[in-house]
Amino acid sequence: MFMMVSEKKCPFCGVDGDEWKNEPVIYKCPNCDALFNRFGVIFAGKKEEQKMS
């Protein structure tokens, strides 16, 4: 079985990315801040979580 992954979906969390750069097309995930293109991850970002104490 072969499954196609949308080029706009973040490879980490599956959220649709927003276009960050036009040429070449690079997307930025609004959930985890990863930068990716149709070939895979360029930069793995991570939002800091505030810990309640």
Side-chain angles (χ1 to χ4, degrees):
M1 184 172 156
F2 186 90
M3 183 174 17
M4 291 291 292
V5 177
S6 171
E7 74 177 43
K8 284 188 70 173
K9 295 267 185 196
C10 175
F12 289 123
C13 58
V15 174
D16 278 340
D18 300 322
E19 191 170 304
W20 183 67
K21 187 177 177 189
N22 196 1
E23 286 294 326
V25 178
I26 298 174
Y27 298 100
K28 182 175 182 182
C29 177
N31 186 44
C32 67
D33 286 338
L35 297 177
F36 59 95
N37 63 10
R38 63 185 177 138
F39 299 110
V41 176
I42 297 171
F43 177 77
K46 184 176 180 183
K47 288 187 177 180
E48 290 186 25
E49 297 178 13
Q50 294 181 355
K51 297 192 179 201
M52 303 290 284
S53 45

